[in-house]
Amino acid sequence: MNTEAAKIADSELEVMRLLWAQDEPAALGELIQVLGEKRGWKEPTTKTVVRNLRLKGSIELVSRGRYRAKISEAEYQEWSTHHFIGKIFEGSARKLVAALLSDGQLTEKDISELCEALNGGPRRE
């Protein structure tokens, strides 16, 4: 599991999401514009967040003013999931699913899809 993912703060995740959504490295100017419109960030804020991500090793400068993620979205999701389950549910995925079931947050379709994934095929009734 990528331990670099643990270093990404919530505000930095905004930049990471933009980078993950693009096939090509993103221009700093584009990040400034999008985050200004989406989050109301001023240029210095975006530059600071980009600089911090670069110092942490989460993103890299690939050419003048163009950045790409060094951590994949899947790596970040894996780390976040394990961290969340460990912190909130004492490392038990079963407790997480039980909480979702008891809370009514899973639809019948969700449950069916989970059963299919767990059983390696369609749910048998």
Side-chain angles (χ1 to χ4, degrees), residues 87-105:
K87 181 178 176 180
I88 305 299
F89 296 99
E90 301 172 347
S92 172
R94 184 196 56 75
K95 287 181 180 180
L96 167 64
V97 173
L100 292 171
L101 286 170
S102 69
D103 216 1
Q105 293 187 39

Side-chain angles (χ1 to χ4, degrees), residues 3 5 8 15-16 22 28 31 35 38-39 50 54 63-65 69 76-77 82 84 86 98 100 113 116 121 123:
T3 56
I8 298 173
V15 172
M16 296 301 292
Q22 298 188 29
L28 179 59
L31 296 174
L35 290 167
K38 185 177 178 183
R39 296 290 175 203
V50 167
R54 190 169 173 213
S63 62
R64 187 177 172 115
Y76 181 76
Q77 288 172 344
H82 285 278
F84 177 75
L100 292 171
E113 289 173 357
E116 185 176 326
R123 182 177 177 189

Side-chain angles (χ1 to χ4, degrees), residues 58-117:
S58 300
I59 67 172
E60 64 183 339
L61 179 67
V62 293
S63 62
R64 187 177 172 115
R66 300 190 75 77
Y67 296 88
R68 79 167 155 228
K70 289 178 67 177
I71 297 170
S72 72
E73 187 173 16
E75 288 173 315
Y76 181 76
Q77 288 172 344
E78 179 184 350
W79 175 85
S80 295
T81 301
H82 285 278
H83 178 73
F84 177 75
I85 291 171
K87 181 178 176 180
I88 305 299
F89 296 99
E90 301 172 347
S92 172
R94 184 196 56 75
K95 287 181 180 180
L96 167 64
V97 173
L100 292 171
L101 286 170
S102 69
D103 216 1
Q105 293 187 39
L106 296 177
T107 65
E108 281 298 319
K109 182 180 179 200
D110 292 334
I111 293 168
S112 179
E113 289 173 357
L114 283 171
C115 287
E116 185 176 326

Side-chain angles (χ1 to χ4, degrees), residues 12-54:
E12 295 167 340
L13 190 53
E14 294 291 331
V15 172
M16 296 301 292
R17 285 186 175 128
L18 291 175
L19 296 176
W20 290 327
Q22 298 188 29
D23 293 330
E24 299 295 321
L28 179 59
E30 182 181 345
L31 296 174
I32 291 168
Q33 179 184 349
V34 171
L35 290 167
E37 293 169 2
K38 185 177 178 183
R39 296 290 175 203
W41 290 6
K42 304 292 184 204
E43 182 176 334
T45 301
T46 301
K47 285 182 175 180
T48 298
V49 172
V50 167
R51 182 181 70 242
N52 290 343
L53 282 167
R54 190 169 173 213

